[in-house]
Amino acid sequence: MQSKRISRHLPSFVAMLPTTLFVVIIYLGCMAWTVAISFTTSKVLPVARWAGATQYERLLATERWTVSVHNILIYGACYILGCLLLGFLTAVAIDQKVRFENTLRTIYLFPYALSFIVTGAVWQWIFDPQLGIEAALRGLGLESHIGILSSPGTAIAALVIAAVWQGAGLVMVMLLAGLRSVDGEILKAARVDGIPIWRAYVSIILPELRPMIVTSVVLLAIAVVKAYDLIVSMTQGGPGIGTEMPAKFVMDHLFERGNIGLATAAATLMLLAVLAVLVPWLHLEYFRKAKGGAR
């Protein structure tokens, strides 16, 4: 019996072996190497000289890192909420069997096909005082000296707007697929019972979309942690260090400042932050349900 089971699953194991080895050696191996280097005195080149928690103490005392963490918390919260809200509203609008549905869906999803570098360049032009919105307002005879990218507060808001513009389309597609799987009789029954349509969506439809929302949040959270291209192309981390992000901090210290130890310490803290948020959530959403369903 055991030999039959092994022979039945052997082709699957053989097919999965290259991918498994790739994940273990490349991904997990690189993560382990990064964590190990963060406890050394490495500068331009990695060395095996033990330094304990020195790099982490220096990192937590660095103002640029503190500002980066503060910025990514604001940027991440606004980006995820903005994408979910805009994606849900556009999904509900398209789900009303509107004309040119395929065209509208393509238009909303198109920004997601662009790289963050292109998105950042486009919105940098839009917010440029000499080329974009402010120049258009002055052309209409209106006074405008906002300087959106010149102030840290408004520059973070500009980054959020550009990121939401690109990411909302993906959320819209996922939630629209979820809406199409919900029984239409639910909304009809809600109308018959006199329940306001917004209340039906909030209390009945949204809980049905929970798996799609969880998946969207995970994908958006990963995009937040990787936020680098958009910042470089729009603000270069400025004005000053006003829009610095952890990923830019890591890349700058790896390739410009020649401080591998400090960069890997920052990368390790980013990894721990991601694991601390995503692992409990994924366990509650998927593994516990699967375990409960198996009982």
Side-chain angles (χ1 to χ4, degrees), residues 149-215:
L149 298 180
S150 302
S151 168
T154 54
I156 287 285
L159 289 172
V160 171
I161 292 172
V164 169
W165 176 77
Q166 186 184 45
L170 175 66
V171 178
M172 180 272 296
V173 170
M174 298 181 68
L175 295 185
L176 181 60
L179 288 172
R180 292 290 163 81
S181 66
V182 176
D183 189 355
E185 296 299 321
I186 294 177
L187 287 177
K188 292 180 181 177
R191 290 192 184 95
V192 171
D193 293 338
I195 300 175
I197 190 67
W198 66 267
R199 183 66 180 274
Y201 271 102
V202 172
S203 301
I204 302 174
I205 304 299
L206 274 179
E208 295 287 329
L209 300 178
R210 187 173 179 177
M212 278 66 73
I213 294 174
V214 171
T215 304

Coordinates of all heavy atoms in Angstrom, one line a residue, residues 149-215:
L149 N 5.3 68.9 -4.7 CA 6.5 68.0 -4.4 C 7.6 68.7 -3.6 O 8.6 68.1 -3.4 CB 7.1 67.5 -5.7 CG 6.1 66.6 -6.6 CD1 6.8 66.2 -7.9 CD2 5.6 65.4 -5.8
S150 N 7.3 70.0 -3.2 CA 8.3 70.7 -2.5 C 8.2 70.6 -1.0 O 9.1 71.0 -0.2 CB 8.3 72.2 -2.9 OG 8.5 72.4 -4.2
S151 N 7.0 70.1 -0.5 CA 6.8 69.9 0.9 C 6.7 68.4 1.3 O 6.0 67.7 0.5 CB 5.5 70.6 1.3 OG 5.1 70.3 2.6
P152 N 7.3 68.0 2.4 CA 7.2 66.5 2.7 C 5.7 66.0 2.8 O 5.4 64.9 2.4 CB 7.9 66.5 4.1 CG 8.8 67.6 4.1 CD 8.1 68.7 3.3
G153 N 4.8 66.8 3.5 CA 3.5 66.4 3.6 C 2.7 66.2 2.3 O 2.1 65.1 2.1
T154 N 2.8 67.2 1.5 CA 2.1 67.1 0.2 C 2.8 66.1 -0.8 O 2.2 65.5 -1.6 CB 2.0 68.5 -0.5 OG1 3.3 69.0 -0.6 CG2 1.1 69.4 0.3
A155 N 4.2 66.0 -0.6 CA 4.9 65.0 -1.5 C 4.5 63.6 -1.1 O 4.3 62.7 -2.1 CB 6.4 65.2 -1.3
I156 N 4.3 63.3 0.1 CA 3.8 61.9 0.5 C 2.4 61.7 -0.1 O 2.1 60.6 -0.6 CB 3.7 61.8 2.0 CG1 5.2 61.6 2.6 CG2 2.9 60.6 2.4 CD1 5.8 60.3 2.4
A157 N 1.5 62.7 0.0 CA 0.2 62.6 -0.6 C 0.3 62.4 -2.1 O -0.5 61.6 -2.6 CB -0.6 63.9 -0.3
A158 N 1.2 63.1 -2.7 CA 1.4 62.9 -4.2 C 1.8 61.4 -4.5 O 1.3 60.8 -5.5 CB 2.4 63.9 -4.7
L159 N 2.7 60.9 -3.7 CA 3.1 59.5 -3.9 C 1.9 58.5 -3.7 O 1.7 57.6 -4.5 CB 4.2 59.1 -2.9 CG 5.6 59.8 -3.1 CD1 6.5 59.5 -1.9 CD2 6.2 59.2 -4.4
V160 N 1.1 58.8 -2.7 CA -0.1 58.0 -2.5 C -1.1 58.0 -3.7 O -1.6 57.0 -4.1 CB -0.8 58.4 -1.2 CG1 -2.2 57.6 -1.0 CG2 0.1 58.1 0.0
I161 N -1.3 59.2 -4.2 CA -2.2 59.4 -5.3 C -1.7 58.6 -6.5 O -2.5 57.9 -7.2 CB -2.4 60.9 -5.7 CG1 -3.1 61.6 -4.6 CG2 -3.1 61.1 -7.0 CD1 -3.1 63.1 -4.7
A162 N -0.4 58.7 -6.8 CA 0.2 58.0 -8.0 C 0.1 56.5 -7.8 O -0.3 55.8 -8.7 CB 1.6 58.4 -8.2
A163 N 0.4 56.0 -6.5 CA 0.3 54.6 -6.3 C -1.1 54.0 -6.3 O -1.3 52.9 -6.9 CB 1.0 54.3 -4.9
V164 N -2.0 54.8 -5.8 CA -3.4 54.3 -5.9 C -3.9 54.3 -7.3 O -4.7 53.4 -7.7 CB -4.3 55.3 -5.0 CG1 -5.8 55.0 -5.2 CG2 -4.0 55.1 -3.5
W165 N -3.5 55.3 -8.1 CA -3.9 55.3 -9.5 C -3.4 54.0 -10.2 O -4.2 53.5 -11.1 CB -3.3 56.5 -10.2 CG -3.5 56.6 -11.6 CD1 -4.7 57.0 -12.3 CD2 -2.6 56.3 -12.7 NE1 -4.5 57.0 -13.6 CE2 -3.2 56.6 -13.9 CE3 -1.3 55.9 -12.7 CZ2 -2.6 56.4 -15.1 CZ3 -0.6 55.7 -13.9 CH2 -1.3 55.9 -15.1
Q166 N -2.3 53.5 -9.8 CA -1.8 52.3 -10.5 C -2.4 51.1 -9.9 O -2.6 50.1 -10.6 CB -0.3 52.3 -10.4 CG 0.3 51.1 -11.2 CD 1.8 51.0 -11.0 OE1 2.3 51.0 -9.9 NE2 2.5 50.7 -12.1
G167 N -2.6 51.0 -8.6 CA -3.0 49.7 -7.9 C -4.4 49.5 -7.8 O -4.8 48.3 -7.7
A168 N -5.3 50.5 -7.9 CA -6.7 50.3 -7.8 C -7.3 49.4 -8.8 O -8.3 48.7 -8.6 CB -7.4 51.7 -7.7
G169 N -6.8 49.4 -10.0 CA -7.3 48.6 -11.1 C -7.2 47.1 -10.8 O -8.2 46.4 -11.1
L170 N -6.1 46.7 -10.2 CA -6.0 45.3 -9.8 C -7.1 44.9 -8.8 O -7.7 43.8 -8.9 CB -4.6 45.0 -9.2 CG -4.4 43.6 -8.7 CD1 -4.5 42.6 -9.8 CD2 -3.1 43.5 -8.0
V171 N -7.3 45.7 -7.8 CA -8.3 45.5 -6.8 C -9.7 45.4 -7.4 O -10.5 44.6 -7.1 CB -8.2 46.5 -5.6 CG1 -9.3 46.3 -4.6 CG2 -6.9 46.5 -5.0
M172 N -9.9 46.3 -8.3 CA -11.2 46.4 -9.0 C -11.5 45.0 -9.7 O -12.6 44.5 -9.6 CB -11.2 47.5 -10.1 CG -12.5 47.6 -10.8 SD -12.5 46.6 -12.3 CE -11.2 47.4 -13.3
V173 N -10.5 44.5 -10.4 CA -10.7 43.2 -11.2 C -11.0 42.1 -10.2 O -11.9 41.3 -10.5 CB -9.4 42.9 -12.0 CG1 -9.5 41.5 -12.6 CG2 -9.3 44.0 -13.2
M174 N -10.2 42.0 -9.1 CA -10.4 40.9 -8.2 C -11.8 41.0 -7.5 O -12.5 40.0 -7.3 CB -9.3 40.9 -7.1 CG -7.9 40.7 -7.7 SD -6.6 40.7 -6.5 CE -7.0 39.2 -5.6
L175 N -12.2 42.2 -7.1 CA -13.5 42.4 -6.4 C -14.6 42.2 -7.4 O -15.7 41.7 -7.0 CB -13.6 43.7 -5.7 CG -12.6 44.0 -4.6 CD1 -12.8 45.3 -3.9 CD2 -12.7 42.8 -3.6
L176 N -14.4 42.6 -8.6 CA -15.5 42.4 -9.6 C -15.7 40.9 -9.9 O -16.9 40.5 -10.0 CB -15.1 43.1 -11.0 CG -16.1 43.0 -12.1 CD1 -17.4 43.7 -11.7 CD2 -15.5 43.7 -13.4
A177 N -14.6 40.1 -9.9 CA -14.8 38.7 -10.0 C -15.6 38.1 -8.8 O -16.4 37.2 -9.0 CB -13.4 38.0 -10.2
G178 N -15.3 38.7 -7.7 CA -16.0 38.2 -6.5 C -17.5 38.6 -6.5 O -18.4 37.8 -6.2
L179 N -17.8 39.9 -7.0 CA -19.2 40.3 -7.1 C -19.9 39.4 -8.1 O -21.1 39.1 -7.8 CB -19.2 41.8 -7.5 CG -18.8 42.8 -6.5 CD1 -18.7 44.2 -7.1 CD2 -19.8 42.8 -5.4
R180 N -19.3 39.0 -9.1 CA -20.0 38.2 -10.1 C -20.3 36.8 -9.6 O -21.2 36.1 -10.1 CB -19.1 38.1 -11.4 CG -19.0 39.4 -12.1 CD -20.3 39.8 -12.8 NE -20.4 41.2 -13.2 CZ -19.9 41.7 -14.3 NH1 -19.2 40.9 -15.1 NH2 -20.0 43.0 -14.5
S181 N -19.6 36.4 -8.5 CA -19.9 35.1 -7.9 C -20.9 35.1 -6.8 O -21.4 34.1 -6.4 CB -18.6 34.5 -7.3 OG -18.1 35.3 -6.2
V182 N -21.4 36.3 -6.5 CA -22.4 36.5 -5.4 C -23.8 36.3 -6.1 O -24.0 36.9 -7.1 CB -22.3 37.9 -4.7 CG1 -23.4 38.1 -3.7 CG2 -20.9 38.0 -4.0
D183 N -24.6 35.6 -5.4 CA -26.0 35.4 -5.9 C -26.7 36.7 -6.0 O -26.9 37.4 -5.1 CB -26.7 34.4 -5.0 CG -28.0 33.9 -5.6 OD1 -28.4 34.4 -6.6 OD2 -28.7 33.1 -4.9
G184 N -27.2 37.0 -7.3 CA -27.9 38.3 -7.5 C -29.2 38.3 -6.7 O -29.8 39.4 -6.5
E185 N -29.8 37.2 -6.3 CA -31.0 37.2 -5.6 C -30.9 37.8 -4.2 O -31.9 38.3 -3.6 CB -31.5 35.7 -5.4 CG -31.9 35.0 -6.7 CD -33.0 35.7 -7.5 OE1 -33.9 36.2 -6.8 OE2 -32.9 35.8 -8.7
I186 N -29.7 37.9 -3.7 CA -29.5 38.5 -2.4 C -29.8 40.0 -2.4 O -30.6 40.5 -1.6 CB -28.0 38.3 -2.0 CG1 -27.7 36.9 -1.7 CG2 -27.7 39.2 -0.7 CD1 -26.2 36.6 -1.4
L187 N -29.4 40.7 -3.5 CA -29.7 42.1 -3.6 C -31.2 42.3 -3.9 O -31.8 43.3 -3.4 CB -28.8 42.8 -4.7 CG -27.4 43.0 -4.4 CD1 -26.6 43.6 -5.6 CD2 -27.2 43.9 -3.2
K188 N -31.8 41.4 -4.7 CA -33.2 41.6 -4.9 C -34.0 41.4 -3.7 O -35.0 42.1 -3.4 CB -33.6 40.5 -6.0 CG -33.1 40.8 -7.4 CD -33.5 39.7 -8.3 CE -32.9 39.9 -9.7 NZ -33.3 38.8 -10.7
A189 N -33.6 40.4 -2.8 CA -34.3 40.2 -1.6 C -34.1 41.4 -0.6 O -35.1 41.7 0.1 CB -33.8 38.9 -0.9
A190 N -33.0 42.0 -0.7 CA -32.7 43.2 0.2 C -33.6 44.3 -0.2 O -34.2 45.0 0.6 CB -31.2 43.6 0.1
R191 N -33.8 44.5 -1.6 CA -34.7 45.6 -2.0 C -36.1 45.3 -1.6 O -36.8 46.2 -1.2 CB -34.6 45.7 -3.6 CG -33.3 46.2 -4.1 CD -33.4 46.5 -5.6 NE -32.1 47.0 -6.1 CZ -31.2 46.1 -6.7 NH1 -31.6 44.9 -6.9 NH2 -30.1 46.6 -7.2
V192 N -36.6 44.0 -1.7 CA -37.9 43.7 -1.3 C -38.1 44.0 0.2 O -39.2 44.4 0.6 CB -38.2 42.2 -1.6 CG1 -39.5 41.8 -1.0 CG2 -38.2 42.0 -3.1
D193 N -37.1 43.7 1.0 CA -37.2 43.9 2.4 C -37.0 45.4 2.8 O -37.1 45.7 4.0 CB -36.2 43.1 3.2 CG -36.5 41.6 3.0 OD1 -37.7 41.3 2.8 OD2 -35.6 40.7 3.2
G194 N -36.8 46.2 1.8 CA -36.6 47.7 2.1 C -35.3 48.0 2.7 O -35.1 49.1 3.3
I195 N -34.3 47.2 2.6 CA -32.9 47.5 3.1 C -32.2 48.4 2.1 O -32.2 48.1 0.9 CB -32.1 46.2 3.2 CG1 -32.8 45.2 4.2 CG2 -30.7 46.5 3.7 CD1 -32.2 43.9 4.4
P196 N -31.7 49.5 2.6 CA -30.9 50.4 1.7 C -29.8 49.6 0.9 O -29.2 48.8 1.5 CB -30.4 51.5 2.6 CG -31.2 51.4 3.8 CD -31.7 50.0 3.9
I197 N -29.6 50.0 -0.3 CA -28.6 49.3 -1.1 C -27.2 49.4 -0.5 O -26.5 48.4 -0.6 CB -28.6 49.8 -2.6 CG1 -27.8 48.9 -3.5 CG2 -28.1 51.3 -2.6 CD1 -28.4 47.6 -3.7
W198 N -26.8 50.5 0.1 CA -25.5 50.6 0.6 C -25.4 49.7 1.8 O -24.3 49.1 2.1 CB -25.2 52.1 1.1 CG -26.1 52.6 2.2 CD1 -27.3 53.3 2.1 CD2 -25.8 52.4 3.6 NE1 -27.8 53.6 3.3 CE2 -26.9 53.1 4.3 CE3 -24.8 51.8 4.3 CZ2 -27.0 53.1 5.7 CZ3 -24.9 51.9 5.7 CH2 -25.9 52.5 6.4
R199 N -26.5 49.5 2.6 CA -26.4 48.7 3.8 C -26.3 47.2 3.3 O -25.6 46.4 4.0 CB -27.7 48.8 4.6 CG -27.7 48.0 5.9 CD -26.7 48.5 6.8 NE -26.7 47.7 8.1 CZ -27.5 48.0 9.1 NH1 -28.3 49.0 9.0 NH2 -27.5 47.3 10.2
A200 N -26.9 46.9 2.2 CA -26.8 45.5 1.7 C -25.4 45.2 1.3 O -24.9 44.1 1.5 CB -27.8 45.3 0.5
Y201 N -24.7 46.2 0.6 CA -23.4 46.0 0.2 C -22.4 45.8 1.4 O -21.6 45.0 1.5 CB -22.9 47.1 -0.7 CG -23.2 46.9 -2.1 CD1 -24.2 47.5 -2.8 CD2 -22.4 46.0 -2.9 CE1 -24.5 47.2 -4.1 CE2 -22.6 45.8 -4.2 CZ -23.7 46.4 -4.8 OH -24.0 46.1 -6.2
V202 N -22.6 46.7 2.4 CA -21.8 46.7 3.6 C -22.0 45.5 4.5 O -21.0 44.8 4.9 CB -22.0 48.0 4.5 CG1 -21.2 47.9 5.8 CG2 -21.5 49.2 3.7
S203 N -23.2 45.1 4.7 CA -23.5 44.0 5.7 C -23.6 42.6 5.0 O -23.4 41.6 5.7 CB -24.9 44.3 6.3 OG -24.8 45.5 7.0
I204 N -23.9 42.5 3.7 CA -24.1 41.2 3.1 C -23.0 40.9 2.1 O -22.4 39.9 2.1 CB -25.5 41.2 2.4 CG1 -26.5 41.4 3.5 CG2 -25.7 39.8 1.8 CD1 -27.9 41.5 2.9
I205 N -22.8 41.9 1.1 CA -21.9 41.6 0.0 C -20.4 41.6 0.4 O -19.6 40.7 0.1 CB -22.1 42.6 -1.1 CG1 -23.6 42.6 -1.6 CG2 -21.2 42.3 -2.3 CD1 -24.0 41.3 -2.1
L206 N -20.0 42.6 1.2 CA -18.6 42.7 1.6 C -18.1 41.5 2.4 O -17.0 41.0 2.1 CB -18.3 44.0 2.4 CG -18.1 45.2 1.6 CD1 -17.9 46.4 2.6 CD2 -16.8 45.1 0.8
P207 N -18.9 40.9 3.3 CA -18.4 39.7 4.0 C -18.2 38.5 3.0 O -17.3 37.7 3.1 CB -19.5 39.4 5.0 CG -20.1 40.7 5.3 CD -20.1 41.5 4.0
E208 N -19.0 38.5 1.9 CA -18.9 37.5 0.9 C -17.6 37.7 0.1 O -17.0 36.7 -0.5 CB -20.1 37.5 -0.1 CG -21.4 37.2 0.5 CD -21.5 35.7 0.8 OE1 -20.9 34.9 0.1 OE2 -22.2 35.3 1.8
L209 N -17.1 38.9 0.0 CA -15.9 39.2 -0.7 C -14.6 39.1 0.1 O -13.5 39.5 -0.3 CB -16.0 40.6 -1.3 CG -17.1 40.9 -2.2 CD1 -17.1 42.3 -2.7 CD2 -17.1 40.0 -3.5
R210 N -14.7 38.6 1.3 CA -13.6 38.6 2.3 C -12.3 37.9 1.7 O -11.2 38.4 1.8 CB -14.0 37.9 3.6 CG -12.9 38.1 4.6 CD -13.4 37.6 6.0 NE -12.4 37.6 7.0 CZ -12.6 37.3 8.3 NH1 -13.8 36.9 8.7 NH2 -11.6 37.4 9.1
P211 N -12.5 36.7 1.1 CA -11.2 36.1 0.5 C -10.5 37.0 -0.5 O -9.3 37.1 -0.5 CB -11.7 34.8 -0.1 CG -13.0 34.5 0.6 CD -13.6 35.9 0.9
M212 N -11.3 37.7 -1.4 CA -10.7 38.6 -2.4 C -10.1 39.8 -1.7 O -9.0 40.3 -2.1 CB -11.8 39.0 -3.4 CG -12.0 38.0 -4.5 SD -12.8 36.5 -3.9 CE -14.4 37.0 -3.6
I213 N -10.7 40.3 -0.7 CA -10.2 41.5 0.0 C -8.9 41.1 0.7 O -7.9 41.8 0.7 CB -11.2 42.0 1.1 CG1 -12.4 42.5 0.3 CG2 -10.6 43.1 1.9 CD1 -13.5 43.0 1.2
V214 N -8.8 39.9 1.3 CA -7.6 39.5 2.0 C -6.5 39.3 1.0 O -5.3 39.8 1.2 CB -7.8 38.1 2.7 CG1 -6.5 37.5 3.2 CG2 -8.8 38.3 3.9
T215 N -6.8 38.7 -0.1 CA -5.7 38.6 -1.2 C -5.3 39.9 -1.7 O -4.1 40.1 -1.9 CB -6.3 37.7 -2.4 OG1 -6.8 36.5 -1.9 CG2 -5.2 37.5 -3.4

